[in-house]
Structure formats: structure tokens, C-alpha cells
Amino acid sequence: MSGKDEEFREYVVARGPALLRMAYQLTGQPADAEDLLQAALAKTYLAWERINDRAALDGYVRRAMVNINISWWRRRKLEEYPSEELPETPVGDGPTPGQVHELLEDAINRLPARQRAAIMLRYYEDMTEPEIAQALGVSIGTVKSTVSRAMAKLRGDLVIAEPVRAEVQPQV
């Protein structure tokens, strides 16, 4: 074991319990606190050689835990969370997944050639805007506007109209 590894191990043994309590305060869950502390210690280990002031190690690890926890929190905001009531879901309304694929393919085929090429390069080939501009021989601004217009057209083509309910007019 190198001197760096031994020094880091001694730090973790000495300060681990206190840092774990801090992580628990941030997360509120024991398992999440352990994961958070582990991630922060991994970042600290990678930066160990650059940390000159060993008295500031706790501050470095705490700051890393706060930053990591914020990142995790932001990422979790995008996930689905269970609720007490299930939302009402329409049964049999809308196309099947196979039909959606066919509808999308048809809508893409209806696009003008440049828009179709830009969409295919951007979303199917996962190319960046500068790469698309170079491939199509246009400016980056043209790529941005072309993709934007194509997406708007696709959104308009793929909107599934709700059935119109006929209102009964009273006879006069």
C-alpha cells in the first residue's frame, strides 16, 4: 500500500463515522447516506494529492457530499414517484406501439428532404449540430432552424385528435 493509500485509509477510519452522520443529515436515509459518503470519498481520493491543507479535508468531503446530493436530487426530480391514487388511463384509446412507429415513419417521410436529413442525422445518427452542418454543407444556424421546423411539423402531424363529441341541439 502506498503512502497516499495508507494516509487516506487512516483518514476514513478516523473521520468516517462523523462524515456518515453528516451524510445522513443530508439524505435522511441510512442507505442513501452510505452511498453519498462513498461517492464523496471516491472524489476525495481522486483529489487527495491536490489537497494541500489536510486540516481542510472534512470541509472538502462535506462540500463534495452537498454537491453530489444536489446532483442526485436534481436527477430524482425527473423520475416517477408512486402516489396514493392511480391516474385514470384511457383503455384502448390511441395507437399501439407498432402503429406509433408506422405513424412516425410516415410523418418523417412527408418532411421535405433537408428537414428529413437533419432529423435523421440528429436523432437517429446522434450527430451534433456542427457535424450536421458540415455533412449538409450549411451553417449551424440553418441546422438549428431546420431541425426546429421539422420537429414542429412532426409534432403537428403526430397529434392524435380526440374524437369530437356531437352536441345534441335542443329542437325548437
Side-chain angles (χ1 to χ4, degrees):
M1 205 182 263
S2 71
K4 170 188 168 184
D5 294 342
E6 185 60 29
E7 188 180 3
F8 182 77
R9 189 190 69 73
E10 289 174 7
Y11 171 75
V12 172
V13 168
R15 298 298 301 149
L19 295 170
L20 184 59
R21 286 190 297 275
M22 166 77 176
Y24 181 77
Q25 292 298 315
L26 287 170
T27 64
Q29 299 292 326
D32 292 343
E34 291 173 1
D35 291 344
L36 179 61
L37 179 58
Q38 185 71 30
L41 288 174
K43 284 188 178 262
T44 304
Y45 180 77
L46 293 174
W48 191 258
E49 308 260 340
R50 294 187 313 255
I51 302 172
N52 296 327
D53 184 9
R54 295 295 189 219
L57 282 172
D58 280 357
Y60 185 94
V61 175
R62 283 194 300 266
R63 184 76 248 173
M65 284 193 294
V66 168
N67 290 344
I68 292 167
N69 193 49
I70 289 170
S71 295
W72 288 356
W73 176 77
R74 286 178 179 154
R75 205 171 302 138
R76 275 193 294 262
K77 283 190 345 186
L78 302 176
E79 296 175 1
E80 295 179 358
Y81 289 99
S83 65
E84 292 182 21
E85 295 180 26
L86 292 175
E88 292 184 27
T89 55
V91 178
D93 290 355
T96 65
Q99 291 170 331
V100 169
H101 180 73
E102 288 177 25
L103 290 171
L104 179 59
E105 189 175 325
D106 292 341
I108 290 173
N109 288 334
R110 286 191 298 271
L111 290 174
R114 181 185 278 182
Q115 288 182 356
R116 184 172 49 250
I119 290 293
M120 297 302 287
L121 292 174
R122 180 69 182 105
Y123 296 105
Y124 284 85
E125 296 297 325
D126 201 28
M127 292 174 71
T128 64
E129 289 165 347
E131 292 171 336
I132 296 169
Q134 184 177 8
L136 296 179
V138 297
S139 70
I140 294 173
T142 301
V143 170
K144 290 179 181 183
S145 63
T146 301
V147 169
S148 176
R149 288 185 187 117
M151 289 301 293
K153 185 163 177 41
L154 287 173
R155 283 186 196 102
D157 284 353
L158 294 176
V159 171
I160 301 169
E162 291 185 35
V164 179
R165 294 188 180 121
E167 294 184 25
V168 178
Q169 296 288 332
Q171 299 276 335
V172 183

